[in-house]
Each structure stands twice: as C-alpha cells, then as structure tokens.
Amino acid sequence: MTKAIKLLTALPQTQRERLMELAQEVSFAEDSRIFEAGGTADRFWVIRSGAVSLDQRVTPQQRVTVGSLGAGDLLGWSWLFPPYQWDFGAEAFSAVRAYEFDAAAVLALCVEDPLLGLSLVRIVAEILAHRLELTRGKLMEHYSLHRPV
C-alpha cells in the first residue's frame, strides 16, 4: 500500500508559499459538522491537528463512516469538479485545527499560475487515487470476512 500524499508537502516550496497566502486558520469543535453531502463545495481544508470522519448517509437516521483524516490531510476535493457539491459529509471526530482555502480564490490563482494549477490537480488526483486504493482494500477485506463458505 502506498503512503498517503500530503497536499502541502507535495507542492514545491514556491507553489506552496503562493497557496498559503490564501490560507485562513480555522478550528472545529469535536462533533461539529463541517459539511453535508450535497452542499455547495466552495472551499477546502488542510488539517493541521485533530481528526475528521467522512461519512455517507444510508438512512435519514444513520450515517456510515467511510474514511477518516488527520494532520496534513486534504479535506474536500469536490470544489474542483462540477457540480461543485460535496459527495460525502464530514464531522470533526476530535477538536480540529485547519487551514481553510476559498475555492474561487485558489482557482483564480491556478489561472494566474498554470504550473501551480497543474501541480495542484495532479496532487489532488494522487490523493484521490490513494483513497480509492484504501477503500478497495477495505471492501475486499469486508468481502473475504463475510463471504459464504
């Protein structure tokens, strides 16, 4: 299994510095909802400390955790792709400190600096591929544990 890719450390220093000029420090209390599936994806975060659970609603009363994120991880990628709506929900599993980025400002920076834009899209794609690989492994593990003999 490949190691998780961290957005800020994967960017070259000059590109990271340009992106960080747009960062705002935010925090979320334990158990607070950060966003809901279907909501407008107009920002993203890089977690500085704490843990976030990604979830999917399976019934009106029940959510299933589909992933968890920690320090250095990218929270939110739906801001890059139409229809710009969250695919999952996110909740602070513990107190969270993060850098928040406004999607419109980042996209404008990517137009101004196409190399930064290309780097950012490639890194987000690598992050998504890694998460897909982890999910596939979990599904295979679940299948092998629950398959009829």
Side-chain angles (χ1 to χ4, degrees), residues 3-85:
K3 186 179 174 195
I5 297 103
K6 307 296 184 182
L7 176 68
L8 295 179
T9 56
L11 280 172
Q13 182 177 348
T14 56
Q15 293 176 354
R16 181 175 53 248
E17 289 170 358
R18 290 206 68 200
L19 181 65
M20 288 305 295
E21 290 174 8
L22 302 176
Q24 292 192 8
E25 293 186 30
V26 297
S27 59
F28 301 98
E30 182 177 352
D31 296 329
S32 64
R33 294 297 292 172
I34 300 170
F35 56 82
E36 294 288 348
T40 301
D42 59 357
R43 62 197 66 248
F44 66 95
W45 301 264
V46 173
I47 300 168
R48 296 177 57 213
S49 64
V52 173
S53 297
L54 299 175
D55 56 47
Q56 185 68 56
R57 188 176 292 281
V58 291
T59 69
Q61 298 80 23
Q62 183 184 16
R63 294 175 200 209
V64 173
T65 299
V66 295
S68 57
L69 304 173
D73 286 334
L74 170 69
L75 172 60
W77 51 266
S78 299
W79 60 277
L80 263 176
F81 308 102
Y84 310 106
Q85 294 180 327

Side-chain angles (χ1 to χ4, degrees), residues 71-119:
D73 286 334
L74 170 69
L75 172 60
W77 51 266
S78 299
W79 60 277
L80 263 176
F81 308 102
Y84 310 106
Q85 294 180 327
W86 301 118
D87 287 316
F88 302 100
E91 184 170 308
F93 185 74
S94 65
V96 171
R97 292 174 54 219
Y99 294 118
E100 181 177 86
F101 298 87
D102 177 80
V106 172
L107 291 171
L109 179 61
C110 291
V111 168
E112 178 186 314
D113 183 346
L115 287 178
L116 186 150
L118 180 59
S119 294

